[in-house]
Amino acid sequence: MLKRQSPGAPERSRDPAAHGAALPMSHNDSRSFFNLSQLVLSAGQIKPSAALKHSKITYFEVEIVDVQSKKQICIVDKVPPASTVLDVKHKFHKACPQWYPSRVGLQLECNGPFLKDSISIQSLAVSSIITLYFTDLGQQVGWTTFFLTEYTGPLLIYLLFYIRLSTIYDQVESRKNFRHPVVHLACFCHCLHYIRHLLETLFVHKFSEGHTPLKNMIKGCAFYWGFTSWIAYYINHPRYTPPSFGHKQVSYAALAFLMCEAGNHFINVALAHQTNSGNRTCFPSPTYNPFTWLFLLVSCPNYTYEAGSWISFTVMTQTLPVGIFAFLMVIQMSLWAQKKHKLYLKRFYPEVRRKAAMIPIIF
């Protein structure tokens, strides 16, 4: 006989979960649980919302102070950490339109160097407020404008003396005296020199977005234009006398001039190619072109060739103004070469330490 369970007895067999026992899971429930597990595992780390991520960005406030009066000019707020000094200059220009970015010089300290436009604001920050000192750099011009103006003047000025204007030379004396062939050759070489500079400025050299004060361009033009007037006046004068050693002196000097001009061009092309390719980790090396082999002896062969051009032009024309100009150019270029050589020593010491700066052994 089957025993009947009393009504008052607890129903243990019907409610196993009441005593901590596991409930049996159906096939559909287990499949749903498996799919949910796979979904959670494939989702990966939960990304924060865009609003939460944006709220964690720290902005800087840049206080612009006049370097002389120490008075606050304005405050540039909400500057992102990724901003550069150039970005701050543009925002400063919006607040003070009379100072455009190229005219603004910013310093971290009163007597410190001017900050480069590419410097990150975050690298300057000690706190959320950054104080920068403002200096008005004056009227500025771009580097391309600077060099085009500096080189166009000598080209045109020399041609004005070459055609012997009546306002410069006596026309009666100009018609009587025969022009020596070296006068025509000197005009050709002089024009070739500055035409090369102009073409390289436009198509070879890659200038930065930086600027230079207008007064520097005025000083450079005064130097080049003034010396060109002096040189051209003597060489194209009706009473000009040819060199002492005649045709041989002119021929050898002209050949040396053309070789230096060619070498200068090929060196500038090699330097521009290295800059454009982004390969700045090694010192420029000579190529199959023989004009680039000067890299084996000096670190600044472009200055060597430039000095050689003017020394050759001096020998070819045998005039005092050209000699003085060549002497000054050699001094100036030796100073530029020494400065660049020191930078090369810091970056490429093993490759440059046995080289001279501009002239082998001497400099």
Side-chain angles (χ1 to χ4, degrees):
M1 295 179 63
L2 297 174
K3 293 183 180 180
R4 177 181 290 181
Q5 189 174 9
S6 60
E11 298 183 4
R12 298 179 181 177
S13 60
R14 296 183 182 179
D15 192 13
H19 298 277
L23 292 174
M25 186 178 294
S26 64
H27 178 70
N28 292 334
D29 293 339
S30 62
R31 188 175 185 85
S32 299
F33 179 76
F34 176 77
N35 292 335
L36 179 62
S37 303
Q38 293 296 323
L39 180 63
V40 172
L41 291 175
S42 63
Q45 186 178 1
I46 300 177
K47 298 181 179 179
S49 62
L52 180 61
K53 185 176 180 180
H54 183 72
S55 63
K56 292 183 178 180
I57 296 178
T58 303
Y59 291 94
F60 295 103
E61 288 186 357
V62 180
E63 180 188 21
I64 308 296
V65 179
D66 187 81
V67 71
Q68 295 180 350
S69 63
K70 304 298 186 296
K71 293 181 179 180
Q72 183 188 96
I73 301 177
C74 72
I75 293 180
V76 181
D77 57 354
K78 293 185 178 180
V79 179
S83 299
T84 61
V85 173
L86 182 60
D87 297 329
V88 174
K89 289 182 179 181
H90 282 290
K91 291 187 176 183
F92 177 62
H93 173 59
K94 292 181 180 179
C96 303
Q98 67 270 28
W99 292 307
Y100 49 90
S102 62
R103 189 167 183 165
V104 176
L106 296 177
Q107 302 162 275
L108 196 60
E109 299 175 355
C110 291
N111 298 324
F114 291 110
L115 299 174
K116 294 183 179 180
D117 291 343
S118 58
I119 294 179
S120 172
I121 291 297
Q122 192 172 13
S123 64
L124 305 174
V126 179
S127 63
S128 60
I129 300 177
I130 305 172
T131 301
L132 297 179
Y133 294 91
F134 162 77
T135 300
D136 185 6
L137 300 178
Q139 189 75 20
Q140 303 286 302
V141 294
W143 284 110
T144 302
T145 304
F146 176 89
F147 288 112
L148 289 179
T149 306
E150 195 174 68
Y151 296 144
T152 303
L155 178 63
L156 299 178
I157 290 172
Y158 196 97
L159 291 175
L160 292 177
F161 283 90
Y162 176 74
I163 62 178
R164 290 183 177 178
L165 294 176
S166 59
T167 55
I168 302 176
Y169 302 111
D170 181 63
Q171 290 299 303
V172 177
E173 193 174 15
S174 299
R175 294 190 189 98
K176 291 181 179 179
N177 294 324
F178 171 75
R179 290 196 189 191
H180 195 274
V182 70
V183 176
H184 304 292
L185 183 60
C187 180
F188 170 77
C189 292
H190 191 275
C191 293
L192 177 66
H193 177 79
Y194 284 102
I195 290 174
R196 178 184 63 81
H197 274 301
L198 290 171
L199 293 178
E200 289 178 352
T201 300
L202 293 173
F203 304 108
V204 177
H205 299 301
K206 300 297 181 183
F207 301 103
S208 63
E209 298 298 328
H211 298 75
T212 185
L214 179 62
K215 60 181 181 181
N216 289 349
M217 188 179 75
I218 294 175
K219 289 190 295 185
C221 290
F223 176 78
Y224 280 99
W225 295 16
F227 261 104
T228 299
S229 301
W230 191 23
I231 291 170
Y233 177 80
Y234 269 79
I235 297 177
N236 297 285
H237 198 280
R239 297 183 181 181
Y240 169 76
T241 55
S244 303
F245 296 96
H247 180 70
K248 287 186 177 181
Q249 178 178 344
V250 174
S251 300
Y252 290 142
L255 181 61
F257 178 87
L258 294 177
M259 291 182 63
C260 289
E261 286 294 302
N264 201 340
H265 172 70
F266 288 120
I267 292 295
N268 289 331
V269 170
L271 293 174
H273 177 72
Q274 185 191 30
T275 303
N276 296 337
S277 61
N279 184 18
R280 300 186 180 184
T281 58
C282 59
F283 182 76
S285 57
T287 62
Y288 62 88
N289 189 337
F291 289 102
T292 63
W293 294 351
L294 199 56
F295 272 123
L296 298 173
L297 301 175
V298 297
S299 59
C300 303
N302 51 331
Y303 295 143
T304 307
Y305 282 124
E306 184 76 11
S309 294
W310 286 111
I311 293 174
S312 303
F313 195 76
T314 302
V315 176
M316 180 177 65
T317 58
Q318 195 174 313
T319 53
L320 180 64
V322 182
I324 295 176
F325 181 75
F327 176 73
L328 295 177
M329 290 295 290
V330 170
I331 293 177
Q332 180 62 71
M333 289 183 186
S334 64
L335 296 176
W336 288 342
Q338 286 289 339
K339 185 177 179 180
K340 186 174 288 188
H341 186 71
K342 290 179 180 179
L343 295 177
Y344 283 153
L345 285 175
K346 293 179 181 179
R347 296 173 57 187
F348 319 112
Y349 177 75
E351 302 174 73
V352 185
R353 63 189 180 93
R354 294 185 180 275
K355 302 179 188 292
M358 189 180 81
I359 301 178
I361 301 174
I362 299 176
F363 293 103

